[in-house]
Amino acid sequence: MKDIGAVIDEPYFQELLSRTHPLTRLGTILEKALRMQGLTIEDVAVLVNIKEPSFVSSLFEVAARIKQGIYGERLVLFAPLYVSDFCINDCEYCNFHSRNRELNRRQLTLPEVEEQTRFLIEEGHKRVLVECGEDEVHNKINYVVDIINRIYSVKTPKGNIRRVNVNIASTSVENYRKLKSAHIGTYQLFQETYHRTTYERLHKGPKSDYGRQISAHNRAFESGLDDLGLGVLFGLYDWRFEVLSLVAHSQYLEKEYHIGPHTISVPRFCPAPSVTYTPEYPVPDEDFLKLVAILRCAVPYTGIIISTRERPQIRQKAFQIGISQASAGSVTITGGYGKKDSQPQFNIHDERSLEEVIKDVIKEKLIPSFCTACYRLGRTGERFMNLSKPGEIKKLCRPNALLTFAEYLYDLPSGNGITEQGLLLIEEYLKVVEEPLRSETMRLLQEVKQGKRDLYF
Ligand code: SAM
Ligand code: SF4
C-alpha cells in the first residue's frame, strides 16, 4: 500500500501550478468531465489556473450539467450539533483553541443532548453532524458513543434523527470500530491544509502531527467504516494546491480501498471571537465557486458539502454548480439550539432558520431532501458506489427526496406559506419519475399525507 503522505507530492503539485498550461486543452478536459468519470491531477491543474471569464463560464456550465446529471434537483439538508468545546489543541483559526480563557467550556450531559435533539427534530431535521473538540479526558470515545445512542433514541411525534454523522479528531482503529458499532453515517475529518509546513505552523497539541491527521481515513477504513468525508479549511494555504491534494487524496482512497470518499467539505475560514489569525490565502467568492465547480468535475460521484459559513447568495450559486449537501439553521455554540449563551466556534454567515432556507431553496426549484434510505438499507461504501455509478441509485433518490420533503411540509404548522409551493414542486418532479416507480411513489405520498412517516425505497 502506498503511503498517503507520499500521495501529496508537493514539489510536483507546485510545478504543475506554476506551469503555463495550453488552454487549448480546456475543451478536451471539459468534454472528459462531462463523461463523468473523473479527471487526472494534471487536468485539475489546468482548471485551477483558468481566469478568463468566458472559460470560467464554460467551467460553471459543465459543472452544472454534471450536478444535474448525477444529483438532479435534490439538496440534502442537515444541522451540526456541538456537544463539547473542551479541546487540548491550539489551532490558530478556531475559537475552541486551548488558550481561550474567555470561553466557559462545557460538555453536554445526555439529557442536554436529548433537549438539543428535540429542538432539531421540531425544526424538521432528520440528519445531524456531531462535533466536538479533542480532549481525552472530557470527550472520550465512549462519551461520543453515548451521545450518538442518545440522539438515535429520541422519538417525538415529529419523528426522529435517522442519521448521525460525526466530525471528531483523528483517532485509533479501535475507537473508529466503536463509532462503527454505534451506526454512524459518515465519519468526516478535514485535513485543514495539505501543505505540511503551513499545517505544522498553525497547529499545536496532538493535532499538530500531520501524519496522524492525513492517515486518519486509512485507520477508519481499517476499522470497517466505509463512509468517509474529506475537507480543507480554505484560507490557510493556496486553494489551488488544496484542490489538487483533495483530488489526490480521493483517488488514493478509491485505489487502495475501492471506495472514494463519500463527501468533500469546503469550509472557508470565518472570524471567531478570540481568534486573531487572518487567512494568509483568503479565497475570494469567485475562486470559491470555481473550486466547487472543479471538484464537481474531478470527483463527480463524491458529495460536496457547503455550510452556513457561506452567505445565502454564495450558497445559492454553489447549489447550481456542484453542492449536493448543505447545513441549514445551524448554531456553532455548544448546546446552542434554543439558547445562545456561550461563544461559537466561529461566526456563521447564514443565520436563517431551516424554514427560511427551504423557502429559498424551493424558489430555485430544488427539492430539500432529508433522505437517509441508503444508509439504513446498508447501501454504503462499495455497494453504494456500484449502484450510484451506473445511475441506479438516482432512480430511487428522487422518490425518496420527494417523500421526505412531503413529510417536512405536512409537519409544518399551517399558514406558513410554503406548504402549498412545496407540494406543487413535488407534483412537478413526480412527473419525471418513471413508471412503475411513479405510481408507487404517489401511493406512498398519500400515506405520508395521512400521517405515515419514514417511507422509502
Ligand atoms: N475538533 C475536531 C477537529 O478539529 O478535527 C472536530 C471538528 S471541528 C468542531 C470542525 C471544523 O471546524 C474543523 O475541522 C475546522 O476546519 C473548522 N473550523 C475551525 N475554526 C474555524 C473557523 N474559524 N472558520 C471556519 N471553520 C473553522
Ligand atoms: Fe480543537 Fe478542532 Fe478547534 Fe482545533 S479545530 S481547536 S481541534 S475544536
Side-chain angles (χ1 to χ4, degrees):
M1 178 188 286
K2 195 167 178 186
D3 172 26
I4 169 64
V7 172
I8 309 303
D9 187 347
E10 192 190 334
Y12 181 54
F13 290 1
Q14 300 291 15
E15 195 256 315
L16 276 179
L17 291 175
S18 59
R19 229 186 255 175
T20 319
H21 297 276
L23 285 171
T24 40
R25 277 195 61 211
L26 185 63
T28 322
I29 295 171
L30 293 181
E31 270 168 34
K32 183 174 171 190
L34 278 173
R35 292 198 287 278
M36 301 185 206
Q37 282 159 8
L39 297 176
T40 63
I41 296 296
E42 291 74 18
D43 296 333
V44 175
V46 175
L47 296 185
V48 295
N49 274 322
I50 60 176
K51 291 193 181 69
E52 155 84 38
S54 68
F55 293 156
V56 176
S57 311
S58 306
L59 168 69
F60 286 179
E61 211 181 294
V62 166
R65 280 171 65 187
I66 299 172
K67 152 90 208 270
Q68 183 57 32
I70 297 179
Y71 303 89
E73 67 288 352
R74 300 179 318 278
L75 180 69
V76 170
L77 298 175
F78 70 94
L81 176 52
Y82 282 76
V83 295
S84 168
D85 45 36
F86 281 97
C87 192
I88 53 170
N89 288 311
D90 185 355
C91 308
E92 288 278 343
Y93 44 79
C94 175
N95 189 44
F96 295 165
H97 63 82
S98 54
R99 279 171 298 121
N100 186 355
R101 306 262 171 264
E102 301 295 304
L103 177 65
N104 221 339
R105 294 188 193 254
R106 58 191 299 224
Q107 178 194 42
L108 299 189
T109 61
L110 292 178
E112 284 171 329
V113 168
E114 178 159 342
E115 193 186 50
Q116 294 284 292
T117 306
R118 284 182 189 278
F119 182 99
L120 290 171
I121 296 172
E122 195 52 37
E123 293 287 289
H125 280 292
K126 299 285 185 288
R127 294 169 160 248
V128 301
L129 172 63
V130 167
E131 312 233 22
C132 66
E134 175 171 5
D135 186 323
E136 277 152 38
V137 177
H138 292 92
N139 309 336
K140 286 192 173 69
I141 197 73
N142 291 349
Y143 168 70
V144 179
V145 167
D146 288 346
I147 298 276
I148 296 164
N149 290 337
R150 183 56 76 102
I151 296 171
Y152 279 133
S153 76
V154 180
K155 312 268 191 257
T156 85
K158 265 183 110 170
N160 57 315
I161 296 297
R162 301 171 186 161
R163 178 172 174 130
V164 179
N165 297 332
V166 175
N167 184 339
I168 60 164
S170 169
T171 185
S172 62
V173 175
E174 194 189 334
N175 285 349
Y176 285 132
R177 251 184 226 123
K178 290 187 179 172
L179 291 182
K180 173 147 180 80
S181 308
H183 306 289
I184 63 164
T186 309
Y187 169 67
Q188 299 181 357
L189 183 71
F190 307 157
Q191 181 58 32
E192 317 297 8
T193 172
Y194 282 92
H195 188 250
R196 188 184 280 269
T197 44
T198 306
Y199 185 92
E200 287 169 356
R201 190 161 41 79
L202 296 179
H203 299 94
K204 286 191 197 75
K207 187 170 164 181
S208 64
D209 181 346
Y210 181 92
R212 185 193 82 153
Q213 190 82 354
I214 205 167
S215 58
H217 300 83
N218 297 49
R219 285 190 297 285
F221 264 120
E222 254 177 74
S223 78
L225 284 172
D226 59 5
D227 193 325
L228 306 178
L230 305 180
V232 150
L233 181 56
F234 286 98
L236 309 188
Y237 191 65
D238 184 346
W239 68 267
R240 301 170 312 146
F241 179 87
E242 307 289 22
V243 169
L244 291 187
S245 304
L246 276 170
V247 175
H249 197 171
S250 304
Q251 291 175 347
Y252 164 84
L253 294 177
E254 167 118 37
K255 189 153 175 260
E256 297 296 340
Y257 303 98
H258 311 292
I259 313 164
H262 189 65
T263 56
I264 291 181
S265 299
V266 291
R268 261 198 295 186
F269 170 85
C270 292
S274 69
V275 172
T276 52
Y277 170 81
T278 47
E280 288 151 86
Y281 295 83
V283 181
D285 290 348
E286 160 117 340
D287 285 344
F288 178 73
L289 293 171
K290 260 197 249 172
L291 74 87
V292 170
I294 294 167
L295 287 171
R296 181 42 67 238
C297 293
V299 282
Y301 290 94
T302 302
I304 308 181
I305 306 182
I306 202 167
S307 72
T308 54
R309 292 172 181 88
E310 300 301 330
R311 286 176 288 119
Q313 297 86 326
I314 293 294
R315 280 160 60 93
Q316 195 179 315
K317 286 188 188 146
F319 293 159
Q320 303 297 340
I321 57 169
I323 295 297
S324 53
Q325 296 192 26
S327 52
S330 309
V331 169
T332 58
I333 299 169
T334 302
Y337 290 109
K339 47 176 180 318
K340 296 182 184 164
D341 57 359
S342 184
Q343 288 185 353
Q345 189 195 15
F346 50 83
N347 301 325
I348 59 174
H349 291 114
D350 181 352
E351 305 220 22
R352 295 171 299 167
S353 65
L354 176 64
E355 193 175 322
E356 286 165 331
V357 170
I358 287 186
K359 213 179 218 170
D360 287 344
V361 164
I362 58 180
K363 273 194 209 141
E364 297 295 308
K365 296 221 173 288
L366 294 173
I367 292 278
S369 172
F370 297 93
C371 178
T372 54
C374 281
Y375 148 78
R376 291 162 74 215
L377 291 171
R379 293 191 299 240
T380 63
E382 204 165 355
R383 228 186 123 205
F384 176 81
M385 286 299 169
N386 289 343
L387 284 166
S388 107
K389 291 198 174 163
E392 284 304 305
I393 278 285
K394 197 182 140 194
K395 291 186 194 146
L396 305 177
C397 291
R398 181 174 275 137
N400 282 336
L402 298 179
L403 288 165
T404 56
F405 184 39
E407 282 189 351
Y408 172 82
L409 293 171
Y410 289 125
D411 282 340
L412 275 178
S414 56
N416 59 71
I418 61 172
T419 305
E420 215 168 78
Q421 289 163 13
L423 290 175
L424 280 175
L425 200 60
I426 290 178
E427 287 274 305
E428 208 174 306
Y429 283 117
L430 198 52
K431 290 187 197 136
V432 272
V433 178
E434 285 172 25
E435 286 293 5
L437 208 50
R438 189 191 314 153
S439 306
E440 188 57 14
T441 309
M442 281 163 76
R443 189 181 66 74
L444 294 185
L445 280 169
Q446 271 308 314
E447 291 191 18
V448 173
K449 188 175 180 183
Q450 283 150 16
K452 267 219 174 155
R453 293 291 175 264
D454 207 9
L455 305 173
Y456 53 87
F457 295 99

